[in-house]
Amino acid sequence: MTPEPVTLDALVIGAGPAGVGVALALDAVDGLRYGVLERGAVGQTFLDWPQQLSFLTPSFTGNGFGATDLNAVHPQTSPAFSLGVDYPTGAEYARYLRGVVAHFGVPILANTEVTRVERHPEGFAVESSRGPVLATTLIWAGGEFAEPLAPRVAGAGLASPVGRPAAWEARSGRLVVIGGYESGLDVACHHAEAGVDVSVVDAATPWDAGAGSDPSYRLAPRTRQRLERVRAGGHLTLVAANAAAIKRGGGVWGVSLDAGSRLTSDTPPVLATGYGPGLGPVAHLVDRRADGWPLLDDDDQSTLAPGLFLAGPAVRHGGMKFCFVYKFRQRFAHVAGVIGSGLGLDVSALEAWRDAGMLTDDLSCCGVECAC
Ligand SMILES: Cc1cc2nc3c(=O)[nH]c(=O)nc-3n(C[C@H](O)[C@H](O)[C@H](O)COP(=O)(O)OP(=O)(O)OC[C@H]3O[C@@H](n4cnc5c(N)ncnc54)[C@H](O)[C@@H]3O)c2cc1C
């Protein structure tokens, strides 16, 4: 007779910073049965980052004074402390995550891809490459990296997405980068520093100061400084227009702009136009807001399928984007608290997250502007 599968209280899908972080918060709820499934290795996205990419949010060990390292996923950890660097590369950050998982003994089944999720009388029925799992609640932490957003530009398939190594390989002559926020300016500066004549096109001109002090809308200081230095070198042009079409002919790539003019790229243009929510096998269980981002209740739970939570950069509440680690980690202990309380378990240990500045349950308090 085949034994009945165990129903977990919570199943986390994905072992990036969101999955590992939320798992650690679940671990603090005594008696809660949880597990994590990861299709690759712990921190797989960071292992897949092109080697030239590094964090733009700095790491620094301020933990003892309630200023937990911006890139930490648990109050007692700090990438700056364990790695000895302030702007980790992808490989370094994956090493930090592996260290955290090993230290706290997080139960992760690697090389296990979740292929299908359906609602079930007891919660959710999950199909994985290693067989079925039942869970009362589910936390989707599958990340955004697998879903680069292609702009509505004819011929976009001729360009290289910025998250792939091809975008960073050595170029010569002229290069057009489409999208001028952090990733676009990073790859543009990388090539301009090597003497390539780079044009960055973006009608929204994110390189201008912009309103507000939220780093989700304003360039990081390190990017601003680098931009100033690289522009002085004469190989970088910033163009306030959107690309309308990309065409290949005569050994070059022509990029027509909506302003009417045309730029030429001697190698494939680079697309740096952001990422979608990447909901994978839970996409059909999540309703969308008018802007296409997941519609969540105040507990980061799907409005279509209560019990399904979202953790990571796709979390949005009103105009607030939780797209950096230091932002989305504010919700790990909240989600664990909602799940634990729902099961009648003691969630008081999660107060340690609040003490460390890693728990925001009142969403009205995040939109603070700096005075100077
Ligand atoms: C280029 C780039 C630079 C960034 N720089 C910064 C920065 O400097 N600072 C910052 O705070 N944030 C940064 N971010 C934003 C954010 O921190 C990262 O996107 C981060 O990877 C998000 O963490 P995550 O755990 O949600 O997703 P991921 O790290 O992508 O982890 C998701 C995991 O889920 C797994 N997975 C996916 N689908 C399945 C499935 N079906 N079954 C099982 N497992 C699955 C994946 O293999 C992966 O390991 C950056 C993002 C990008 C794209």
Side-chain angles (χ1 to χ4, degrees):
M1 202 171 95
T2 319
E4 280 292 303
V6 176
T7 302
L8 292 172
D9 295 324
L11 176 68
V12 182
I13 305 173
V20 170
V22 85
L24 289 166
L26 291 168
D27 195 67
V29 180
D30 211 14
L32 195 143
R33 292 167 309 163
Y34 76 96
V36 184
L37 300 182
E38 163 56 52
R39 72 172 162 207
V42 170
Q44 185 61 53
T45 291
F46 294 90
L47 296 171
D48 292 340
W49 269 18
Q51 60 182 21
Q52 296 86 351
L53 271 182
S54 64
F55 267 58
L56 65 97
T57 46
S59 270
F60 195 86
T61 314
N63 300 38
F65 287 80
T68 308
D69 186 319
L70 285 184
N71 299 319
V73 297
H74 183 275
Q76 290 162 17
T77 69
S78 158
F81 170 72
S82 60
L83 301 171
V85 299
D86 43 12
Y87 292 99
T89 61
E92 286 167 340
Y93 195 71
R95 180 147 56 87
Y96 156 74
L97 289 177
R98 281 198 303 275
V100 171
V101 164
H103 179 83
F104 291 98
V106 184
I108 296 177
L109 204 52
N111 300 313
T112 309
E113 176 160 17
V114 170
T115 50
R116 190 182 160 94
V117 176
E118 294 300 339
R119 298 186 78 173
H120 179 272
E122 288 181 55
F124 297 91
V126 174
E127 295 287 332
S128 83
S129 52
R130 293 200 198 215
V133 185
L134 292 180
T136 309
T137 62
L138 207 61
I139 299 103
W140 173 255
E144 60 188 359
F145 196 66
E147 195 182 314
L149 277 183
R152 288 201 196 100
V153 168
L158 294 169
S160 312
V162 69
R164 304 287 177 263
W168 298 81
E169 281 164 6
R171 309 286 187 114
S172 57
R174 296 156 295 179
L175 172 66
V176 178
V177 173
I178 300 169
Y181 193 50
E182 292 286 357
S183 296
L185 294 178
D186 191 5
V187 74
C189 289
H190 165 78
H191 289 300
E193 282 162 350
V196 179
D197 288 314
V198 184
S199 298
V200 180
V201 302
D202 194 328
T205 67
W207 47 80
D208 290 333
S213 42
D214 184 344
S216 297
Y217 296 94
R218 189 183 176 90
L219 291 179
R222 191 178 64 146
T223 310
R224 292 188 167 282
Q225 288 172 329
R226 186 178 181 202
L227 195 54
E228 210 170 297
R229 210 174 48 241
V230 172
R231 284 178 90 176
H235 290 289
L236 181 64
T237 309
L238 303 174
V239 184
N242 278 336
I246 305 172
K247 277 193 188 143
R248 190 171 180 191
V252 297
W253 286 256
V255 179
S256 323
L257 304 182
D258 57 3
S261 53
R262 188 173 177 274
L263 295 169
T264 302
S265 201
D266 293 308
T267 56
V270 174
L271 282 186
T273 42
Y275 292 84
L279 297 176
V282 301
H284 63 295
L285 297 172
V286 182
D287 206 353
R288 302 296 178 113
R289 312 189 326 173
D291 62 2
W293 290 94
L295 183 64
L296 303 173
D297 70 9
D298 285 350
D299 296 323
D300 300 356
Q301 208 167 184
S302 163
T303 53
L304 272 188
L308 168 61
F309 295 81
L310 181 61
V315 172
R316 299 276 191 283
H317 287 288
M320 256 185 297
K321 297 183 184 180
F322 289 73
C323 59
F324 291 116
V325 173
Y326 79 91
K327 291 183 167 191
F328 62 70
R329 72 183 184 187
Q330 295 299 323
R331 306 296 286 168
F332 297 161
H334 180 77
V335 166
V338 171
I339 293 173
S341 310
L343 294 165
L345 300 172
D346 178 7
V347 299
S348 55
L350 294 170
E351 286 307 304
W353 269 251
R354 195 186 308 281
D355 297 343
M358 279 182 61
L359 171 55
T360 301
D361 21 43
D362 176 7
L363 293 167
S364 66
C365 68
C366 310
V368 174
E369 289 297 340
C370 299
C372 51

